[in-house]
Structures are given as C-alpha cells and as structure tokens.
Amino acid sequence: MAGSWRAAAQAAGMLLAILGWVSSCVTTFVPLWKSLNLELNELEVWSMGLWQVCIAHEEGAVECRAHGSFLALPPALRIARLLMCLSNGLGLLGCALAAPGLRGWSCCHDKAALKRRLLLAGGAALGAAGMATLAPVSWVAYNTVLDFWDDTVPDIVPRWEFGEATFLGWFAGAALAAGGLLLACSAGAAGTATPPAPAGHQPPARGRHPHPKNADLVI
C-alpha cells in the first residue's frame, strides 16, 4: 500500500513539475504581463512583457518592439527577468534530478538511498523554482495595483492592468512548488526495507550447536 501511494505521489509530482516548468517558460517570454486599453483609441491594445512591448490592432496586426535597455527598465521588471530565468533553470534541474529517482525508472534501481537523495534534491530545486516564479509575478502585480489606484495620476490617463501572463505565472509557481513537495514527501524512507530471507532458511539459534545425525551419546 505504501509503495503504491509513493508511486502515485511521484507520478503526480512529476506531472505538476513538468506542467509548471513549461508554464513558467511561457510566462517568461510572452509579452502579456501588463495590458493597456486606450479609451481614446479603442482600436489598439497595448501589452508589456519582460522583453518587449506589443501593440495589437483591430485588424489583427501585432507590432512588437524590444525594450531598449535592461538598465532603463523599472526595477520590478529587471528583477523579474532575472528571477524568471533562474526559475526556468532550477525547474529544468529539478526535473532532471527527480526523474532517475522515480520508482518506475530503471536507472539506479538497486540503489535505494541514491534514488531517495535524487528525489529530495529534485524536490528542493523545484520548490525553489516555484518561489522564484511566484516572487516576481506577485511583485509586478503589486506594483500594477499601486499604479492603478494612484490618486496623483489624473483619471483620464490610461492605467496598466493585469495581463494573462500574470495568472499563468501564479499557476506555474504553485504547480512547481506542489510538484516539488510531492516528490520530496514521496522520497521518505522509500525503498529502505530489508529484503526478506529466502523461504525455508532458518538461522541457527544462538548458543546451540547442531549435533550429527547419527552421533553416539556419551554418558
């Protein structure tokens, strides 16, 4: 029963980890962290990401322009770019470490302690990747809320709002953290049981010596 529970937890954790890593990579590169709908020109919708700004026209054309300089970016976007790249690397490392430690993986099948350490290391890397995703996404979202409700800005000035990548980033961070937690928990004492002795083999009792079958008793 314990083995089947660990196998199911490892499968679910690996699935969440891969899904979270892919979502984190998409969040990093899509220009949908912020969106801006100009009331004076409803034919254009602006969107901003970590790498570029795009303008979507009503006829379907999309124009994108990369940010001019890394140092010219706001601090939130600069740190978000670094943390998201770190998250992608940690997520890939975590999946690579945890895969050989899965119960169904034939690699290192005779080394239970090594498989357990690989699962723990992979789970830790995935948990760190989840935090590295949640932190910048939440920080950019927080600054977006502050700018939206800034009373010093006139009401006629358009305000940036949440983009689709914000919600995708929250999902990616939660999936990475949950996957890493499941993998780490399923590694506890996995495969450390002592193999049973062969059937019919009984060790001799301590302090007793077997007598020959036909030995003569000496009185």
Side-chain angles (χ1 to χ4, degrees):
M1 182 64 68
S4 61
W5 176 87
R6 290 193 182 95
Q10 290 175 10
M14 200 65 187
L15 179 62
L16 283 174
I18 295 175
L19 186 60
W21 178 72
V22 173
S23 301
S24 178
C25 292
V26 174
T27 303
T28 303
F29 296 104
V30 295
L32 297 173
W33 283 60
K34 295 181 180 181
S35 63
L36 180 64
N37 191 353
L38 301 177
E39 296 181 357
L40 299 178
N41 186 6
E42 298 181 354
L43 302 181
E44 295 180 352
V45 177
W46 291 57
S47 59
M48 177 186 294
L50 301 180
W51 309 93
Q52 57 187 355
V53 178
C54 294
I55 305 175
H57 301 279
E58 186 183 24
E59 58 272 14
V62 179
E63 300 178 6
C64 295
R65 180 178 180 182
H67 294 300
S69 173
F70 176 77
L71 297 178
L73 290 174
L77 292 183
R78 275 184 290 171
I79 297 178
R81 183 185 290 188
L82 295 175
L83 288 179
M84 290 302 296
C85 292
L86 176 63
S87 172
N88 296 338
L90 287 174
L92 181 60
L93 177 62
C95 292
L97 287 175
L102 299 177
R103 292 179 63 90
W105 196 278
S106 58
C107 177
C108 306
H109 65 280
D110 56 342
K111 300 178 181 179
L114 178 60
K115 291 176 74 72
R116 181 173 180 270
R117 287 194 294 267
L118 287 174
L119 279 177
L120 290 174
L126 289 169
M131 296 299 104
T133 298
L134 291 174
V137 172
S138 301
W139 190 17
V140 171
Y142 174 73
N143 289 333
T144 303
V145 172
L146 291 182
D147 295 339
F148 186 87
W149 296 107
D150 190 355
D151 296 333
T152 62
V153 179
D155 294 336
I156 60 174
V157 177
R159 314 292 179 94
W160 289 99
E161 300 181 11
F162 291 162
E164 290 84 351
T166 303
F167 304 99
L168 183 61
W170 279 325
F171 168 77
L176 285 169
L181 182 62
L182 280 175
L183 290 173
C185 292
S186 65
T192 57
T194 303
H201 174 74
Q202 295 181 355
R206 181 178 299 178
R208 299 177 58 186
H209 301 283
H211 297 283
K213 185 174 180 180
N214 299 322
D216 295 331
L217 297 178
V218 179
I219 303 176

